[in-house]
Amino acid sequence: MKTKIEKIFKEKFGEGGTLYASAGRINLIGEHTDYNGGFVFPGAIDKVIMAEIKPNGTDKVRVFSIDIDDYAEFGLREEDAPSQGWARYVFGVCREIQKRGGVVKGFDAVFAGNVPLGAGLSSSAALESCFAFALNDMFNDNKIDKFELARIGQSTEHNYCGVNCGIMDQFASVFGRKGNLMRLDCRSMEYEYFPFNPVGYELVLVDSKVKHELKDSPYNKRRESCERVAKRLGMDTLRDATMEQLNAVKTDITAEDYFRAKFVIEEKQRVLDVCDALNAGDYETVGACMYATHEGLSKDYEVSCEELDFLNDVAKELGVIGSRIMGGGFGGCTINLVKNELHDKFIEEVKVRFKDKYGHEPAVYDVVISDGARKVED
Ligand code: GLA
């Protein structure tokens, strides 16, 4: 990827610039909890977006996406927003830095990536974090702190891409550290690195290849449901809500809102339980929580789909210790905690059974927990 980017940069813009990268993410547990002030438990992975960038001495940004094979050129004022969806991520990052008083000057960029798109692995957060990190390094002497870099990505989603997301993906992409998951409290923003080395187990992603598009999707609707219930309870978020409190207002809210909030309240506790279980080396409990999350996401939060439920059933049948839909939902991957000795058989079987039913093989990725946003040294 690096060689390809360097070659194309040279062809398009001449003498080389500086290379930066940022990562996609997994999330062990804690889904749809970030925008509810709860806990998440993500880690960055070895799949990245990489960009070569160089100031060009003008007030224009010129950027080429190798994977989409498309070029965009835009100025840095609000009215200069590009029309291509992918370029709005880069434009948004520039604008959000400027809005915070940071400096962005014209630059040339070429980027590519190996984070599968629409698979729930946060390719968009990787793109935002890569450019946020790069522009901080290039024009701002790294004065913008890492949390603000994550928020710049998140605001880009809100203001330029139509997704009212939480902070998990950008946090994971910016803060990721090799071999570590991170437990983030999305209210206080306190976080802790957790060395992740489940002895005897591996994490495997199975990508249904059902494309999810969070923009204009029911994702924003889920968030609205949670906000309505929090308001009814007189709270800022569902973070401190209990099932007793929720049950007390059950007749005042819609059944749909009730089940959305129920999931969030239960999921908050599961993240804490998984952390304790990991500390105790109790993978059975970790796995049981993952299955419970899947059940909640499918039945109560309703962000699953037939293919993902099928993948979950197959995992259970084959004796996989934990499996669940991962990320925003509506397609993408399941994350599976698989015993080493079952690894090969699971992959083989899940591919065959899925193909029999849906006509195409799922993609399978072994998870390697890696570093987040960085400058790529030679
Ligand atoms: C998407 C969002 C995140 C988070 C997850 C669900 O990935 O970008 O902020 O809400 O969905 O946990």
Side-chain angles (χ1 to χ4, degrees), residues 59-123:
D59 56 2
K60 290 247 175 327
V61 172
R62 305 189 294 175
V63 53
F64 182 72
S65 161
I66 295 180
D67 303 321
I68 302 175
D69 190 19
D70 197 15
Y71 172 80
E73 191 172 318
F74 49 82
L76 289 161
R77 294 162 310 173
E78 198 58 24
E79 58 272 29
D80 297 326
S83 56
Q84 301 104 306
W86 65 267
R88 293 179 68 86
Y89 290 102
V90 181
F91 177 76
V93 168
C94 297
R95 290 293 307 153
E96 292 298 334
I97 292 178
Q98 290 175 314
K99 285 183 202 169
R100 288 162 172 78
V103 178
V104 181
K105 297 185 183 152
F107 61 87
D108 296 334
V110 169
F111 72 92
N114 56 8
V115 191
L117 299 181
L121 300 177
S122 296
S123 51

Side-chain angles (χ1 to χ4, degrees), residues 118-120 207-208 210-212 303-305 308 325-326 328-333:
D207 182 357
S208 64
V210 175
K211 287 290 166 214
H212 82 161
V303 294
S304 188
C305 60
L308 289 166
I325 179 174
M326 193 184 71
F330 314 106
C333 289

